Amino acid sequence: MAEQLVNYELIDGCIASIELNNPPLNLITNEMNMELHSALDAAEKDPDVRVVLLSGAGDRAFSAGSDARVFPRLQKSVGLVEGKLRYENQVYDKLDELSKPSIGLLKGVAMGGGLELSLCCDFRIASEDARIGLPEVRLGMLPGSGAIHRLPRLVGEALAKEMMYLGAEISSADAHRRNLVNKVVPADQILTAARNIAADIAHLPQGGIQRIKSLVQVARTEAPERVTELTLRSSEEAFSSPDATEGLIAFFEKRTPKFNR
């Protein structure tokens, strides 16, 4: 029986841990994408899951991207898009559109399609020794799994073009300065840091978190007036919820609120 390429585990009853399991570099294959799709589907449908952690197995890499050894075969057959990228983009979009918050743990190498996958997470935590980049241009190719539109939104067009034009890596410290990652920690502390953030999120009202995430996604494409109207509607819904009632009572009673789980 073949070993799973994606490991799924429920931590503390409310945190879904999804681990890319193709060490040492956790290269992304079609088979891994299929398993990742199933894992994301499980996290989405499980009402107990409040946060998703996405990591890579081993100490060397979150993911170094695609296995370049398949590219010559794809050139001679169905091509890159039908052979890999079209479905890969569907899987990555599923992570991007997940209703639950997600945190990417960029330990070691996070390059190419691996970095593109992490861009779909809401937060990214990098190890101090992380190697981050989009080297596709150096193979005569280009980032084809979402970096073209996601990276400029995060770091600005100038840095995004620099990373994609030159194909050079940047350090985790530079990635943090440029808003590509939220936090940089020693490699042996990355899981603890991620779980601490996940635990904080998990204790906050799920309805409010999901509304915020949904509105941020809508704001990417809709006119400001439309986003404002949807925000007003969501604000009224949140204000009328049991969580808001509990939050206000706890505020006036000077105690920690006990939100619905």
Side-chain angles (χ1 to χ4, degrees), residues 76-150:
K76 297 175 182 177
S77 57
V78 296
L80 183 61
V81 173
E82 295 308 323
K84 189 173 193 295
L85 289 186
R86 191 176 302 282
Y87 180 65
E88 184 163 285
N89 274 268
Q90 292 173 7
V91 177
Y92 286 23
D93 287 347
K94 188 173 184 66
L95 173 58
D96 193 5
E97 296 164 5
L98 203 66
S99 68
K100 286 94 184 272
S102 56
I103 304 172
L105 284 66
L106 308 190
K107 185 177 182 180
V109 177
M111 305 286 280
L115 178 59
E116 290 185 284
L117 176 60
S118 79
L119 298 180
C120 302
C121 294
D122 296 303
F123 304 141
R124 279 157 299 283
I125 301 175
S127 61
E128 291 175 338
D129 62 348
R131 296 166 53 201
I132 298 168
L134 295 166
E136 288 87 348
V137 71
R138 294 177 178 267
L139 296 177
M141 302 168 67
L142 58 94
S145 296
I148 296 291
H149 64 92
R150 291 190 178 101

Side-chain angles (χ1 to χ4, degrees), residues 145-213:
S145 296
I148 296 291
H149 64 92
R150 291 190 178 101
L151 188 60
R153 197 165 58 226
L154 287 170
V155 304
E157 189 173 305
L159 178 61
K161 286 179 176 177
E162 177 185 330
M163 290 179 66
M164 291 187 282
Y165 286 0
L166 299 177
E169 1 178 304
I170 64 173
S171 67
S172 55
D174 197 20
H176 185 240
R177 285 193 295 270
R178 304 296 187 93
N179 298 321
L180 180 54
V181 301
N182 299 80
K183 192 179 185 68
V184 177
V185 298
D188 61 355
Q189 296 178 23
I190 191 168
L191 180 58
T192 298
R195 289 184 63 168
N196 286 341
I197 294 174
D200 287 344
I201 294 172
H203 286 88
L204 294 169
Q206 185 175 14
I209 297 292
Q210 291 180 348
R211 288 186 180 96
I212 292 168
K213 179 164 184 176

Side-chain angles (χ1 to χ4, degrees), residues 184-256:
V184 177
V185 298
D188 61 355
Q189 296 178 23
I190 191 168
L191 180 58
T192 298
R195 289 184 63 168
N196 286 341
I197 294 174
D200 287 344
I201 294 172
H203 286 88
L204 294 169
Q206 185 175 14
I209 297 292
Q210 291 180 348
R211 288 186 180 96
I212 292 168
K213 179 164 184 176
S214 176
L215 288 166
V216 170
Q217 289 172 328
V218 169
R220 296 173 181 172
T221 56
E222 296 284 351
E225 296 80 6
R226 172 67 174 160
V227 178
T228 297
E229 187 56 40
L230 291 173
T231 301
L232 294 176
R233 188 183 307 169
S234 291
S235 296
E236 195 64 64
E237 291 171 355
F239 187 69
S240 302
S241 71
D243 282 328
T245 300
E246 167 62 12
L248 287 168
I249 292 174
F251 174 79
F252 289 116
E253 292 180 351
K254 301 186 185 329
R255 62 172 173 80
T256 301

